Amino acid sequence: MTFLYKADPNRGATWKKLLAREMPELPFRIWPDIGNPKEVRILATWQPPLDLTTQFPNLEILFSTGAGTDQFDFAAIPPTLPVVRMVESGIVQGMVEYVTLAVLSQHRDWRTYQDQQRAGTWQAHPVRPASSRRVGVLGLGNLGRAVLDRLHAFGFSCAGWSRSPQQIYDVECHHGPAGLQALLARTEILICLLPLTDSTRGILRKRLFDQLPHGATVINVGRGGHLVQDDLLRALDAGQLSSAVLDVCDPEPLPPEHPFWSHPKVVLTPHIASMTQPETAVDAVIDNLRRYRQGLPMIGLVDRARGY
Ligand code: GLV
């Protein structure tokens, strides 16, 4: 049985060291050094090879090295092969930091003060209590919940939306198509933390922006495919949205002439909100391998019908 890692080789070297400590009996290889392909039972990758099944006929588990699996072509993955998303505390911590930074910057008018500094303007604006600032999160998976937990600690008025009903202490939870309308109507800062599926692709579009209060902010830390870019530009230019923070886009990177690069109301970062941390990722993988061996469900196992 071989564990094959096919992603950034420098990070792979750390995976190798950490796994060797916990599971010294498990042979670990880093792509392209695949050894005997018939021996490969576990593959951890961001992007599987195109001929996955012919190349590795005895594969038992496919781990994504990232939180999402939308980059996988599921048509090329046998339906019986377990696919597992990366659920690990390093990703959660990074996401909580990034979203908190974006929300607080918006809440405390950071961009306005930077503009004022450059213009030599000394002018204070009223500070609104966090409790009066209505923040809403789309997607109540482990990332959405962790973000809400931290924002709630700052005192923000928090709400969330998910496909199916959820309950979170002190968070107004909405679900389903009707619930989305209710969430948007009360949300001044909207955070997208949804998985990218057929039903969420393009969800950040005109119809959604129009349902937010005038001057709302959108933070997209999901996937570029969630956003209809032209609709965002129009909503910003019309003032329906006051700003957007985008950590993801489609394609990545955007072409040099794309208007988001220089738009005064857009903050664009290069998909760095959150990154898998080898130390905690390896712990999560080991935990899942133990679960698998004991016949227990793995954490982050993808439900193909649901799409995440
Ligand atoms: C990054 O976007 C990830 O899926 O981990």
Side-chain angles (χ1 to χ4, degrees):
M1 152 163 316
T2 296
F3 188 122
L4 178 64
Y5 176 95
K6 177 180 177 291
D8 176 65
N10 291 326
R11 291 164 151 255
T14 311
W15 278 58
K16 187 178 172 104
K17 196 175 74 203
L18 296 168
L19 259 168
R21 203 184 293 159
E22 295 292 326
M23 289 192 162
E25 72 287 359
L26 181 66
F28 184 95
R29 289 178 173 271
I30 299 176
W31 183 278
D33 169 30
I34 62 172
N36 178 354
K38 290 204 174 71
E39 296 276 309
V40 175
R41 301 289 171 96
I42 305 155
L43 175 63
T45 186
W46 176 249
Q47 200 59 264
L50 293 176
D51 54 350
L52 179 69
T53 44
T54 42
Q55 187 161 19
F56 305 115
N58 296 320
L59 199 60
E60 287 178 36
I61 313 174
L62 176 58
F63 285 109
S64 171
T65 51
T69 51
D70 50 283
Q71 74 281 10
F72 287 179
D73 172 12
F74 278 95
I77 301 173
T80 50
L81 181 66
V83 177
V84 185
R85 290 181 284 118
M86 188 54 73
V87 179
E88 65 95 1
S89 56
I91 295 183
V92 176
Q93 172 71 18
M95 189 55 82
V96 168
E97 286 174 4
Y98 183 96
V99 173
T100 304
L101 172 69
V103 169
L104 287 176
S105 302
Q106 181 61 26
H107 175 58
R108 298 304 308 266
D109 303 310
W110 207 243
R111 205 165 39 89
T112 305
Y113 287 115
Q114 287 179 327
D115 290 345
Q116 285 188 191
Q117 176 188 345
R118 281 187 282 271
T121 306
W122 182 274
Q123 189 195 345
H125 302 281
V127 176
R128 267 176 61 182
S131 59
S132 77
R133 183 78 71 182
R134 290 161 299 147
V135 177
V137 173
L138 300 177
L140 298 177
N142 70 316
L143 296 177
R145 283 171 171 260
V147 160
L148 278 165
D149 190 49
R150 187 62 56 88
L151 294 176
H152 176 258
F154 277 102
F156 289 107
S157 166
C158 290
W161 179 81
S162 52
R163 207 176 46 100
S164 52
Q166 306 266 347
Q167 278 191 336
I168 306 176
Y169 174 73
D170 245 6
V171 173
E172 190 186 305
C173 288
H174 301 272
H175 70 276
L180 182 57
Q181 206 176 353
L183 177 104
L184 297 173
R186 52 84 61 209
T187 292
E188 295 166 86
I189 302 179
L190 182 73
I191 299 144
C192 176
L193 265 167
L194 290 164
L196 184 64
T197 65
D198 289 345
S199 49
T200 65
R201 188 176 300 280
I203 189 170
L204 302 176
R205 62 178 184 272
K206 180 177 185 321
R207 208 170 78 208
L208 177 145
F209 301 146
D210 286 348
Q211 293 178 69
L212 292 166
H214 188 78
T217 290
V218 169
I219 299 169
N220 189 17
V221 276
R223 289 286 184 249
H226 286 127
L227 176 69
V228 178
Q229 297 180 353
D230 286 344
D231 286 4
L232 177 70
L233 286 169
R234 274 192 281 271
L236 289 170
D237 293 343
Q240 172 57 17
L241 295 181
S242 62
S243 59
V245 178
L246 308 175
D247 182 56
V248 287
C249 48
D250 186 17
E252 291 181 0
L254 291 170
E257 67 284 0
H258 196 284
F260 286 168
W261 286 110
S262 56
H263 199 292
K265 296 180 180 172
V266 173
V267 172
L268 179 66
T269 52
H271 203 140
I272 46 72
S274 165
M275 282 177 204
T276 303
Q277 300 299 328
E279 288 74 10
T280 35
V282 168
D283 284 348
V285 164
I286 288 171
D287 180 47
N288 266 335
L289 289 177
R290 294 199 171 125
R291 284 170 164 271
Y292 177 73
R293 284 176 187 167
Q294 290 165 19
L296 296 170
M298 288 183 282
I299 312 276
L301 186 65
V302 172
D303 173 342
R304 303 272 186 112
R306 217 174 48 167
Y308 60 94

